[in-house]
């Protein structure tokens, strides 16, 4: 089980990723952020190169949809991938491959992309979004902690949570 949220704070311009999973060390493979670039969460069968190659393209001003379309077209394992991407201006896009396990899906909105796999159902994503949207007065790091906490409380985890991460960056590299 993994769920994540890639997000941008419109108030501060900060970018971040919050994630929770049943596997150890979620932060290393799932959460990627770059100032002036964006935020990317790659999961299911993660491909960190979607972020490592995607963040510089976002930094050039390309849209998350264009970047993901290009990178996934070159990824022979795209159907086992799940990825959410938010650019520095808050545009978002997400993808869930057809061969991800368990209940899997994603939702995007202004300034966020939420995705999850091996979940009990879509209510997990709905709770993550609710917590994120209802806490807009807080700093991004706090919002991400609340969002992944809400996902866990919504019984998002079918296999026991082992690790979580929150990674936030402002205007410093």
């Amino acid at each position: 089980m993994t769920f994540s949220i890639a997000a941008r704070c419109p108030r501060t311009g900060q970018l971040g990723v919050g994630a929770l999973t049943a596997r150890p060390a979620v932060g290393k493979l799932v959460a990627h952020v770059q100032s002036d670039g964006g935020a990317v969460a790659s999961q299911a069968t993660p491909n960190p190169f979607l972020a490592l190659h995607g963040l510089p393209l976002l930094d050039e001003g390309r849209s998350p949809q264009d970047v993901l379309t290009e990178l996934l077209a070159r990824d022979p394992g795209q159907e086992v991938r799940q990825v959410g991407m938010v650019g520095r201006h808050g545009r978002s896009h997400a993808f869930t491959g057809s061969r991800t396990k368990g209940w899997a899906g994603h939702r995007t909105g202004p300034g966020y992309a939420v995705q999850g796999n091996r979940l009990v159902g879509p209510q997990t994503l709905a709770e993550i979004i609710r917590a994120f949207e209802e806490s807009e007065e807080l700093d991004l790091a706090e919002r991400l902690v609340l969002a992944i906490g809400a996902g866990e409380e919504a019984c998002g985890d079918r296999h026991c949570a082992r690790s979580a991460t929150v990674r936030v960056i402002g205007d410093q590299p």
Side-chain angles (χ1 to χ4, degrees):
M1 174 293 307
T2 302
F3 57 80
S4 65
I5 176 171
R8 177 186 180 273
C9 176
R11 187 172 40 82
T12 65
Q14 289 180 325
L15 296 155
V17 173
L20 185 137
T21 188
R23 296 182 180 229
V26 65
K28 183 73 172 167
L29 291 176
V30 171
H32 305 271
V33 294
Q34 176 182 315
S35 64
D36 291 330
V40 180
S42 173
Q43 59 195 48
T45 302
N47 179 353
F49 291 104
L50 294 172
L52 297 174
H53 295 155
L55 287 168
L57 297 175
L58 289 172
D59 191 28
E60 293 173 5
R62 296 188 48 197
S63 75
Q65 183 173 1
D66 289 346
V67 170
L68 271 179
T69 299
E70 177 182 324
L71 295 177
L72 288 167
R74 298 188 310 226
D75 184 352
Q78 69 174 301
E79 293 307 322
V80 295
R81 311 268 189 245
Q82 192 170 47
V83 61
M85 186 176 283
V86 176
R88 70 175 174 248
H89 300 296
R91 291 183 290 177
S92 61
H93 192 67
F95 171 82
T96 299
S98 63
R99 293 183 23 225
T100 54
K101 296 186 178 182
W103 187 92
H106 61 268
R107 290 183 51 193
T108 61
Y112 65 82
V114 177
Q115 42 286 321
N117 60 80
R118 295 184 187 225
L119 302 179
V120 294
Q123 66 271 26
T124 304
L125 301 185
E127 283 301 304
I128 293 167
I129 292 167
R130 180 198 56 74
F132 185 76
E133 289 179 342
E134 289 179 358
S135 61
E136 64 184 20
E137 75 285 353
L138 299 176
D139 289 338
L140 184 59
E142 292 176 274
R143 295 176 73 192
L144 294 174
V145 168
L146 288 173
I148 61 173
E152 185 174 27
E153 288 176 17
C155 299
D157 177 6
R158 290 178 44 209
H159 301 288
C160 299
R162 284 202 181 139
S163 66
T165 190
V166 170
R167 183 174 290 176
V168 174
I169 194 165
D171 60 357
Q172 299 298 312

